[in-house]
Amino acid sequence: MTTTDTPRRPVDPAPGRAVSKKRPRGAASGGLRRAVSATTLLWVLACLYGLPVLWFILSSLKPAGDLFSYPLTLIPHNPTLSGYMTAWRSANFSQYFINTTIVCVITTIVTVGVSCCTGYALAKYDNKWLKAFFICILATTMLPSEVMLAPEFLVVRDLGLYNSFAGIILPAVLTATGCFMFRQFFLTVPDELVEAARIDGARELAIFLRIMVPLSRPIMLTLAIMSFQWRWNDYIWPLLMLNDPNKFTVQIGIGSIVGAQNINWSVLLGASVISMIPLIVIFLVFQRYVMSADINAGLKD
């Protein structure tokens, strides 16, 4: 009796164990090449944008006679802080910093609160008048700020807010950029989350304060940084509204250093660098909190 050997079937690997597959070398090298090229491009752009800032800061450490010496040099040969000290002593910078901080902090808090409420209403309530109001808000971005200076000045003056911090703060509270940012963010929040809260008996104010506001924290911090920067660098509007030197802001103080006939560039550069320090600190402190939120938190599949 003869027996024939039947071919054995290959044994399947154990269930649950993934079969390793080798990736082709071309795909790996291509992905690495794309990553390296993108990183290189970002570094090149960072250097292009950072070189003028570096030149500006290093020039503030040069004596006045070395700023326009030929050939131009990036590194100061005799670095000095005389420009900073002269700028701080020549102008009442401590009072300017206090005034600007008061204006920026109050304006930023009110701007974020008003923009958050407006954006939520525009995104989650279906009303034709709200849509028309949103179009009117966006239409204000088409007008240059110089066009609105005259009517804003007349309104603030007639309200009795001339030469006061309130006259600077109130016109800057409602911004089209802030309303648009919050509206677009709240549109991405699922309506099921709001409906679930309403079914549980939550009131509209509770839904907004306990659900929507915590979710919008990244947008709030982003707008806060932008609003603080806008108000800190604002020059034209405070110059029109204030005539009391004790209420001047930092930018007006820097402008007062520039003379009609002669400009001390060393002092001007030092004052400009001093005015940049709060903005850099604000960005470094809060930029790590600006991250994407989990808008699907609390929802079940």
PDB file of all heavy atoms in Angstrom, residues 24-25 32 45 57 86 95 124 130 148 152 155 219 229 241 253 264 284:
ATOM      1  N   PRO A  24       9.050  49.875   1.546  1.00  0.00           N
ATOM      2  CA  PRO A  24      10.085  50.118   0.525  1.00  0.00           C
ATOM      3  C   PRO A  24      10.958  51.296   0.913  1.00  0.00           C
ATOM      4  O   PRO A  24      10.503  52.281   1.504  1.00  0.00           O
ATOM      5  CB  PRO A  24       9.260  50.409  -0.738  1.00  0.00           C
ATOM      6  CG  PRO A  24       7.904  50.791  -0.257  1.00  0.00           C
ATOM      7  CD  PRO A  24       7.690  50.032   1.027  1.00  0.00           C
ATOM      8  N   ARG A  25      12.238  51.153   0.548  1.00  0.00           N
ATOM      9  CA  ARG A  25      13.183  52.206   0.929  1.00  0.00           C
ATOM     10  C   ARG A  25      12.870  53.519   0.235  1.00  0.00           C
ATOM     11  O   ARG A  25      13.117  54.596   0.764  1.00  0.00           O
ATOM     12  CB  ARG A  25      14.601  51.759   0.582  1.00  0.00           C
ATOM     13  CG  ARG A  25      15.076  50.573   1.406  1.00  0.00           C
ATOM     14  CD  ARG A  25      16.511  50.237   1.062  1.00  0.00           C
ATOM     15  NE  ARG A  25      16.993  49.129   1.875  1.00  0.00           N
ATOM     16  CZ  ARG A  25      18.228  48.619   1.780  1.00  0.00           C
ATOM     17  NH1 ARG A  25      19.081  49.133   0.892  1.00  0.00           N
ATOM     18  NH2 ARG A  25      18.581  47.610   2.560  1.00  0.00           N
ATOM     19  N   LEU A  32      11.287  61.339   4.178  1.00  0.00           N
ATOM     20  CA  LEU A  32      12.347  62.065   4.878  1.00  0.00           C
ATOM     21  C   LEU A  32      12.791  63.274   4.081  1.00  0.00           C
ATOM     22  O   LEU A  32      13.062  64.344   4.629  1.00  0.00           O
ATOM     23  CB  LEU A  32      13.527  61.116   5.129  1.00  0.00           C
ATOM     24  CG  LEU A  32      14.731  61.718   5.853  1.00  0.00           C
ATOM     25  CD1 LEU A  32      14.326  62.194   7.242  1.00  0.00           C
ATOM     26  CD2 LEU A  32      15.865  60.693   5.951  1.00  0.00           C
ATOM     27  N   LEU A  45      12.989  80.915   6.122  1.00  0.00           N
ATOM     28  CA  LEU A  45      12.042  82.004   6.359  1.00  0.00           C
ATOM     29  C   LEU A  45      12.242  82.632   7.730  1.00  0.00           C
ATOM     30  O   LEU A  45      12.150  83.858   7.890  1.00  0.00           O
ATOM     31  CB  LEU A  45      10.611  81.475   6.221  1.00  0.00           C
ATOM     32  CG  LEU A  45      10.173  81.053   4.811  1.00  0.00           C
ATOM     33  CD1 LEU A  45       8.767  80.462   4.852  1.00  0.00           C
ATOM     34  CD2 LEU A  45      10.226  82.235   3.855  1.00  0.00           C
ATOM     35  N   ILE A  57      17.883  95.109  17.289  1.00  0.00           N
ATOM     36  CA  ILE A  57      18.241  95.000  18.702  1.00  0.00           C
ATOM     37  C   ILE A  57      19.726  95.287  18.913  1.00  0.00           C
ATOM     38  O   ILE A  57      20.110  96.010  19.854  1.00  0.00           O
ATOM     39  CB  ILE A  57      17.867  93.607  19.240  1.00  0.00           C
ATOM     40  CG1 ILE A  57      16.355  93.423  19.196  1.00  0.00           C
ATOM     41  CG2 ILE A  57      18.377  93.422  20.669  1.00  0.00           C
ATOM     42  CD1 ILE A  57      15.887  92.042  19.604  1.00  0.00           C
ATOM     43  N   THR A  86      19.138 106.717  28.698  1.00  0.00           N
ATOM     44  CA  THR A  86      18.717 108.064  28.297  1.00  0.00           C
ATOM     45  C   THR A  86      17.248 108.093  27.916  1.00  0.00           C
ATOM     46  O   THR A  86      16.522 109.038  28.264  1.00  0.00           O
ATOM     47  CB  THR A  86      19.580 108.551  27.123  1.00  0.00           C
ATOM     48  OG1 THR A  86      20.968 108.482  27.474  1.00  0.00           O
ATOM     49  CG2 THR A  86      19.220 109.982  26.759  1.00  0.00           C
ATOM     50  N   GLN A  95       5.322 106.024  33.896  1.00  0.00           N
ATOM     51  CA  GLN A  95       3.908 106.409  33.829  1.00  0.00           C
ATOM     52  C   GLN A  95       3.277 105.964  32.516  1.00  0.00           C
ATOM     53  O   GLN A  95       2.124 105.533  32.483  1.00  0.00           O
ATOM     54  CB  GLN A  95       3.773 107.926  33.977  1.00  0.00           C
ATOM     55  CG  GLN A  95       2.342 108.424  34.056  1.00  0.00           C
ATOM     56  CD  GLN A  95       1.611 107.896  35.276  1.00  0.00           C
ATOM     57  OE1 GLN A  95       2.175 107.847  36.366  1.00  0.00           O
ATOM     58  NE2 GLN A  95       0.369 107.491  35.099  1.00  0.00           N
ATOM     59  N   LYS A 124     -24.966  80.020  16.769  1.00  0.00           N
ATOM     60  CA  LYS A 124     -25.901  79.014  17.282  1.00  0.00           C
ATOM     61  C   LYS A 124     -27.359  79.453  17.267  1.00  0.00           C
ATOM     62  O   LYS A 124     -28.226  78.667  17.640  1.00  0.00           O
ATOM     63  CB  LYS A 124     -25.506  78.634  18.716  1.00  0.00           C
ATOM     64  CG  LYS A 124     -24.173  77.902  18.796  1.00  0.00           C
ATOM     65  CD  LYS A 124     -24.166  76.655  17.927  1.00  0.00           C
ATOM     66  CE  LYS A 124     -22.845  75.926  17.975  1.00  0.00           C
ATOM     67  NZ  LYS A 124     -22.820  74.752  17.072  1.00  0.00           N
ATOM     68  N   LEU A 130     -29.733  88.459  12.674  1.00  0.00           N
ATOM     69  CA  LEU A 130     -28.367  88.182  13.113  1.00  0.00           C
ATOM     70  C   LEU A 130     -27.432  88.029  11.911  1.00  0.00           C
ATOM     71  O   LEU A 130     -26.278  88.471  11.954  1.00  0.00           O
ATOM     72  CB  LEU A 130     -28.337  86.918  13.969  1.00  0.00           C
ATOM     73  CG  LEU A 130     -28.901  87.041  15.382  1.00  0.00           C
ATOM     74  CD1 LEU A 130     -28.864  85.690  16.084  1.00  0.00           C
ATOM     75  CD2 LEU A 130     -28.127  88.073  16.185  1.00  0.00           C
ATOM     76  N   MET A 148     -12.728 106.133   9.543  1.00  0.00           N
ATOM     77  CA  MET A 148     -13.619 106.142  10.700  1.00  0.00           C
ATOM     78  C   MET A 148     -13.111 106.989  11.855  1.00  0.00           C
ATOM     79  O   MET A 148     -13.777 107.090  12.886  1.00  0.00           O
ATOM     80  CB  MET A 148     -13.836 104.704  11.182  1.00  0.00           C
ATOM     81  CG  MET A 148     -14.531 103.823  10.153  1.00  0.00           C
ATOM     82  SD  MET A 148     -14.910 102.167  10.766  1.00  0.00           S
ATOM     83  CE  MET A 148     -13.254 101.487  10.896  1.00  0.00           C
ATOM     84  N   GLU A 152     -15.766 108.667  14.738  1.00  0.00           N
ATOM     85  CA  GLU A 152     -15.532 108.133  16.070  1.00  0.00           C
ATOM     86  C   GLU A 152     -15.119 109.238  17.042  1.00  0.00           C
ATOM     87  O   GLU A 152     -15.556 109.267  18.203  1.00  0.00           O
ATOM     88  CB  GLU A 152     -14.447 107.054  16.026  1.00  0.00           C
ATOM     89  CG  GLU A 152     -14.915 105.738  15.436  1.00  0.00           C
ATOM     90  CD  GLU A 152     -13.821 104.691  15.466  1.00  0.00           C
ATOM     91  OE1 GLU A 152     -12.695 105.039  15.874  1.00  0.00           O
ATOM     92  OE2 GLU A 152     -14.092 103.541  15.074  1.00  0.00           O
ATOM     93  N   VAL A 155     -18.229 111.273  18.016  1.00  0.00           N
ATOM     94  CA  VAL A 155     -19.109 110.550  18.937  1.00  0.00           C
ATOM     95  C   VAL A 155     -18.515 110.533  20.337  1.00  0.00           C
ATOM     96  O   VAL A 155     -19.207 110.802  21.343  1.00  0.00           O
ATOM     97  CB  VAL A 155     -19.355 109.121  18.423  1.00  0.00           C
ATOM     98  CG1 VAL A 155     -20.083 108.290  19.473  1.00  0.00           C
ATOM     99  CG2 VAL A 155     -20.151 109.144  17.131  1.00  0.00           C
ATOM    100  N   ILE A 219      -9.232  79.992  21.446  1.00  0.00           N
ATOM    101  CA  ILE A 219      -9.573  81.190  20.670  1.00  0.00           C
ATOM    102  C   ILE A 219      -9.512  82.431  21.560  1.00  0.00           C
ATOM    103  O   ILE A 219      -9.079  83.501  21.116  1.00  0.00           O
ATOM    104  CB  ILE A 219     -10.970  81.034  20.051  1.00  0.00           C
ATOM    105  CG1 ILE A 219     -11.066  79.727  19.271  1.00  0.00           C
ATOM    106  CG2 ILE A 219     -11.276  82.206  19.129  1.00  0.00           C
ATOM    107  CD1 ILE A 219     -10.088  79.606  18.138  1.00  0.00           C
ATOM    108  N   GLN A 229      -1.698  93.218  21.697  1.00  0.00           N
ATOM    109  CA  GLN A 229      -0.714  93.764  20.773  1.00  0.00           C
ATOM    110  C   GLN A 229      -1.273  94.963  20.008  1.00  0.00           C
ATOM    111  O   GLN A 229      -0.568  95.966  19.827  1.00  0.00           O
ATOM    112  CB  GLN A 229      -0.273  92.674  19.796  1.00  0.00           C
ATOM    113  CG  GLN A 229       0.718  93.150  18.750  1.00  0.00           C
ATOM    114  CD  GLN A 229       1.050  92.072  17.748  1.00  0.00           C
ATOM    115  OE1 GLN A 229       0.565  90.958  17.843  1.00  0.00           O
ATOM    116  NE2 GLN A 229       1.864  92.415  16.762  1.00  0.00           N
ATOM    117  N   MET A 241      -7.023 111.463  21.080  1.00  0.00           N
ATOM    118  CA  MET A 241      -7.918 111.527  22.224  1.00  0.00           C
ATOM    119  C   MET A 241      -7.291 112.148  23.464  1.00  0.00           C
ATOM    120  O   MET A 241      -8.004 112.634  24.332  1.00  0.00           O
ATOM    121  CB  MET A 241      -8.412 110.117  22.583  1.00  0.00           C
ATOM    122  CG  MET A 241      -9.372 109.521  21.573  1.00  0.00           C
ATOM    123  SD  MET A 241     -10.832 110.556  21.325  1.00  0.00           S
ATOM    124  CE  MET A 241     -11.449 110.637  22.999  1.00  0.00           C
ATOM    125  N   GLY A 253       4.763 108.396  23.912  1.00  0.00           N
ATOM    126  CA  GLY A 253       6.027 108.736  24.556  1.00  0.00           C
ATOM    127  C   GLY A 253       7.211 108.534  23.627  1.00  0.00           C
ATOM    128  O   GLY A 253       8.151 109.348  23.608  1.00  0.00           O
ATOM    129  N   ASN A 264      17.893 111.597  17.845  1.00  0.00           N
ATOM    130  CA  ASN A 264      18.913 110.773  18.494  1.00  0.00           C
ATOM    131  C   ASN A 264      18.520 109.315  18.278  1.00  0.00           C
ATOM    132  O   ASN A 264      17.703 108.760  19.013  1.00  0.00           O
ATOM    133  CB  ASN A 264      19.003 111.115  19.984  1.00  0.00           C
ATOM    134  CG  ASN A 264      20.227 110.501  20.635  1.00  0.00           C
ATOM    135  OD1 ASN A 264      20.758 109.491  20.164  1.00  0.00           O
ATOM    136  ND2 ASN A 264      20.692 111.117  21.714  1.00  0.00           N
ATOM    137  N   LEU A 284       5.385  84.787  24.985  1.00  0.00           N
ATOM    138  CA  LEU A 284       6.082  83.612  25.502  1.00  0.00           C
ATOM    139  C   LEU A 284       5.307  82.937  26.624  1.00  0.00           C
ATOM    140  O   LEU A 284       5.367  81.714  26.788  1.00  0.00           O
ATOM    141  CB  LEU A 284       7.479  84.013  25.997  1.00  0.00           C
ATOM    142  CG  LEU A 284       8.464  84.476  24.917  1.00  0.00           C
ATOM    143  CD1 LEU A 284       9.785  84.877  25.560  1.00  0.00           C
ATOM    144  CD2 LEU A 284       8.688  83.396  23.872  1.00  0.00           C
TER     145      LEU A 284
END
